Amino acid sequence: MPSFYAQPAMLLATLLISVTCKAQEQAVVPSGVASEVTASHSTLLKFGTGLTRGFDWGGSGGLSLPLVLGAEHVVASNWSLYGNAFTGIQVLRPEHLSYSKTPVFRGIGLDAGVRYYYHQAKRAARGRAAGQFVGNYVALHVPTTSIWVLQPNTDAVRIGYKQTAIMGIWGLQRRLGGHGLLDAFAGVGVNNHRVRGYNEATITLQTRRKLGFETEIGLRLSLVK
C-alpha cells in the first residue's frame, strides 16, 4: 500500500479506536439514576463519518472519507427503523490522477433496516447504558450502493448501479456527551454483485447478476439531534 494512503487511514483508525474505548468507559451509569443516554425523542437525526461505507483508499480512488446522513425512529419497545444516505468525498488522489476529471464524490448509496436492542432491562439493572438508541443490537440491514463512472474519452460522468445486499448485523451504539454518537457494527449476508463475461454466441461482453457473499465491519461517529 503506498505510504501516502496508509498514513491518513492509520491516523483515522487510531482516532476512532481511542474514541470507542473512551465511550465504553463512559457507558456505565449508576443504578437507579436517570441517565442522559436515555433519549426523550422517538426520532434521532444523525450526521457522521468514520470507517464505514464511503471510506476507501488505494488504487485509482485515492483516499475518500465518508459522509453519512441518517435517521433512526423508535417503533416499539427496543425496536427501531433506520435509514442512511452516504457518499465518499475524495480528499487525496494519486499523483498521476492529480489533474483527472474524475468526480470528488466517489459514489453514493442508501441503506435501511430494522434494529432490536436486546437485554435492555439487564443493562439498566447492572447500571449500564440503556434506553432509546443506546445498547447492543441485532439488525436486518439492506444496503444499496452505486458508483460514479467516468465515460471513456469524454468528460461525461454517470452513476452506475453496483449492488444490493441483505445482511444480518450485530452492533453497539453509545452516546458521546450531549450530541455525539458512536455506532460500531459487523455483519454478514448475500449480495447481487455484477459479473461480466464473454458470450461466444453473440461475440460480446455481457453483464449479469450473481449471488455472492457480503461482509461489513464499520465504526461511525455522528453528531445527533
Side-chain angles (χ1 to χ4, degrees):
M1 179 190 305
S3 60
F4 67 92
Y5 295 141
Q7 187 174 5
M10 290 299 297
L11 288 175
L12 180 60
T14 301
L15 174 62
L16 293 177
I17 291 172
S18 66
V19 172
T20 304
C21 295
K22 185 176 180 181
Q24 292 282 36
E25 292 173 359
Q26 296 177 343
V28 178
V29 296
S31 179
V33 178
S35 170
E36 293 182 358
V37 301
T38 302
S40 59
H41 302 288
S42 59
T43 301
L44 192 68
L45 302 180
K46 312 175 186 180
F47 179 72
T49 187
L51 298 176
T52 183
R53 291 181 186 268
F55 179 84
D56 186 30
W57 83 88
S60 61
L63 173 64
S64 297
L65 298 181
L67 290 181
V68 185
L69 180 63
E72 186 175 353
H73 180 74
V74 174
V75 293
S77 178
N78 301 340
W79 290 88
S80 69
L81 297 175
Y82 65 90
N84 298 289
F86 54 88
T87 186
I89 296 183
Q90 190 175 60
V91 297
L92 183 65
R93 62 180 62 187
E95 293 182 0
H96 69 281
L97 292 178
S98 59
Y99 299 102
S100 172
K101 297 179 181 178
T102 55
V104 174
F105 295 95
R106 297 298 297 166
I108 59 174
L110 300 170
D111 64 52
V114 56
R115 287 182 177 180
Y116 175 71
Y117 291 89
Y118 61 90
H119 292 168
Q120 288 283 287
K122 289 183 178 180
R123 294 185 62 84
R126 295 174 181 176
R128 296 181 178 179
Q132 288 183 335
F133 313 118
V134 175
N136 297 350
Y137 64 84
V138 290
L140 179 64
H141 182 66
V142 182
T144 296
T145 55
S146 300
I147 56 174
W148 297 100
V149 179
L150 184 68
Q151 299 283 31
N153 304 319
T154 71
D155 296 335
V157 176
R158 66 179 178 85
I159 301 176
Y161 169 63
K162 188 176 181 182
Q163 67 180 35
T164 298
I166 300 177
M167 310 180 68
I169 294 283
W170 175 89
L172 61 87
Q173 190 159 266
R174 301 287 188 271
R175 285 279 192 167
L176 299 175
H179 297 283
L181 191 75
L182 180 143
D183 188 6
F185 49 90
V188 296
V190 294
N191 62 26
N192 63 339
H193 69 285
R194 184 172 58 182
V195 177
R196 299 188 66 185
Y198 183 74
N199 189 318
E200 296 182 356
T202 60
I203 318 178
T204 58
L205 283 174
Q206 293 186 341
T207 300
R208 61 185 178 89
R209 296 285 171 178
K210 182 179 180 181
L211 288 180
F213 187 65
E214 179 87 354
T215 61
E216 181 173 5
I217 298 177
L219 184 62
R220 186 180 300 152
L221 295 175
S222 301
L223 294 175
V224 298
K225 183 179 179 181

